[in-house]
Amino acid sequence: MITPKEHFHGSDLEKIEAVYGIKKEDITSFSANVNPLGVSPLLRSTLASHIDAITSYPDREYTSLRECIAAYTGTDASQVIVGNGSTELISLFIQIEHPKKAMILGPTYSEYEREISLGGGTTLYYPLREKDDFVLDVDDFTAHLNESIDLLVLCNPNNPTSSCINRTDMRRVLDICKQYDIFVMVDETYVEFADNMDEITAVPLTHYYNNIIILRGTSKFFAAPGLRLGYAISGNQDLIKSINTRKNPWTINSLAVIAGELMFTDEEYIQQTKSLISSERARIYEIFKNHPDFKPYKPSGNFMLLKILREDITSADLFDKAIRKNMMIRDCSTFPFLDNKYIRFCFMMPEMNDKLIDCLLSK
């Protein structure tokens, strides 16, 4: 078995290949949280027939693409910024805001803290509590906000807990942040997978609050991490102008523009994805909910966090057990506030989900 110090991210298939001797092509990654349907057939055929687009520069303002995103998200194109994945936009936003002290809900994605520290800022974590099933206690949380904090980072639904903050509670948070002059960055990478997306997304709040920016990408829901197409939405026009001024031109290539203009209108693919994830999420949650060895936390995203209740098994044990059957899950012991009793996996096609369930539940 690998040593407890060895941990793998969802994109570490080459590292897995080297350590375990398993070809990366043979690994089913339950760790990457990518739509199991893969690239939509319509997108595949469209890109193949538009290869000549790379012979010309895209529109510098990405007007048509931003209009497609605006229609998809229910906002105005003037509030949309596009970038080379949401990672570029996170970096640009933090460079511009230059927070001295940020608060992040944990456990969560590590890139936020990294970007803040690169800018010389410090990070405080507010822990989501296991006794609350990792659901935010808004009253307690807002009591911890104060004027010394200048940035709040929320992942909604959160990774790895798959818990969410509804828009009513988000508005309460924004009101308190407004009092203390705290800007709020909301990462909605996984919101499109949620059954109650309309109750979770904070996009409508950008029409009323100028202290919020929302980040999304196409990597997970549209199964296109290699496309590197992300976008942000904000009602703060000064911030948008600052980001566009600092952003390099043409960070999105011509094929990504064509893909984006198609993706957000591909209703058949969007509905297939939502239906698949919704049914598998409900089915798998019930299986683990009724098993004595695990405690599942009710998921809103396309993945689920599990607590291992058996004393003789750790997250490293289950990672090793699954990868030896060519299935990669996430050992969550490296996340803040989690230990070696937590794993996370995303929902794949039903037959693959069944294989993973059999693996995890077998003695």
Side-chain angles (χ1 to χ4, degrees), residues 154-158 162-171 174 186-205 212 214 216 281 299-301:
L154 306 171
C155 184
N156 195 36
N158 186 46
S162 208
S163 53
C164 68
I165 305 168
N166 65 41
R167 191 158 61 249
T168 301
D169 286 341
M170 184 69 76
R171 189 160 195 162
L174 283 167
V186 182
D187 185 345
E188 289 193 349
T189 293
Y190 301 103
V191 75
E192 291 140 297
F193 292 108
D195 284 337
N196 57 338
M197 175 184 171
D198 290 341
E199 299 170 13
I200 298 173
T201 179
V203 170
L205 300 180
I212 182 173
I214 297 166
R216 291 191 193 172
R281 176 170 50 219
S300 295

Side-chain angles (χ1 to χ4, degrees), residues 19 21 27 65 82 94 156 178 183 194 220 245 257 267 270 288 291 307 313 326 329:
V19 172
I27 298 171
L65 175 59
V82 292
I94 289 175
N156 195 36
K178 193 77 172 170
F183 211 102
K220 307 301 186 181
T245 299
V257 171
E267 282 298 325
I270 291 168
F288 284 97
H291 198 281
K307 184 176 184 179
I313 296 178
N326 293 10
I329 61 173

